[in-house]
Amino acid sequence: MASLVARTGRHLQRYDTVGYRQVVGCIPYRYRKTNKSEELEVLLISSQKGKGMLFPKGGWEEDEDIRDAALRETFEEAGVRGKLEEKLGMWPYKSKRCDIMHNGYMFPLLVNKELKQWPEQNIRKREWMTATKAREVCQQVIRR
């Protein structure tokens, strides 16, 4: 059984050669059957402060590989497990909480298990929604 305690602290945090913090996470998704077809849904979680929705992500630590870090962060924050797919890429972004830059790496995760208990269940809400709705509410979507 996995630990129900989230990792804390930044003493093992990875940074690139110019000082960008390395952040990894997942875009959890599933197909929901409707009367006529299957509809794609994605899972968003509330931010720690409860202001906005986002995909689960967090620090990639020195003692784990990128895929393990993405799975760990998604388990800790969203309480889901599934099949991790190929990395979508990297994007640099500025932290909203402090004046530092991050490199973000995201993976699609086809969810096959939604847990009733997970480490951050008391500080995060999770919500399945269509990709269209997620684009409207997600803090991490690049708006053009």
Side-chain angles (χ1 to χ4, degrees):
M1 166 128 198
S3 170
L4 289 181
V5 176
R7 278 188 165 193
T8 58
R10 296 224 171 134
H11 63 285
L12 293 175
Q13 182 63 58
R14 288 179 191 250
Y15 292 86
D16 75 0
T17 56
V18 294
Y20 285 23
R21 184 171 169 242
Q22 305 297 287
V23 175
V24 296
C26 290
I27 299 173
Y29 74 96
R30 69 181 181 188
Y31 294 99
R32 185 176 60 85
K33 292 187 190 325
T34 66
N35 290 340
K36 298 178 184 175
S37 63
E38 288 186 331
E39 185 175 80
L40 174 72
E41 293 182 318
V42 294
L43 182 67
L44 287 144
I45 59 169
S46 61
S47 67
Q48 279 188 318
K49 305 276 189 235
K51 295 179 181 176
M53 301 293 284
L54 45 89
F55 291 112
K57 64 170 179 28
W60 173 16
E61 299 185 0
E62 293 174 354
D63 64 342
E64 52 192 357
D65 89 355
I66 191 170
R67 296 173 68 84
D68 291 339
L71 289 169
R72 175 185 53 77
E73 284 293 340
T74 303
F75 162 70
E76 288 177 358
E77 294 186 352
V80 294
R81 301 264 192 215
K83 181 180 181 253
L84 193 69
E85 298 174 6
E86 291 303 311
K87 180 174 54 176
L88 294 172
M90 187 276 294
W91 83 102
Y93 68 99
K94 188 174 181 181
S95 171
K96 288 186 177 179
R97 285 197 284 175
C98 42
D99 194 26
I100 61 170
M101 293 297 294
H102 301 307
N103 283 332
Y105 301 89
M106 296 298 280
F107 294 83
L109 178 78
L110 178 57
V111 173
N112 59 29
K113 189 168 190 171
E114 191 170 342
L115 303 164
K116 291 180 181 173
Q117 295 182 312
W118 69 97
E120 296 187 12
Q121 69 186 38
N122 294 326
I123 59 173
R124 300 207 190 259
K125 293 183 173 88
R126 58 186 180 191
E127 183 180 343
W128 287 102
M129 61 187 71
T130 65
T132 301
K133 182 177 178 191
R135 185 166 171 78
E136 293 170 10
V137 303
C138 185
Q139 299 178 359
Q140 296 165 329
V141 173
I142 298 171
R143 309 218 188 274
R144 295 177 191 212

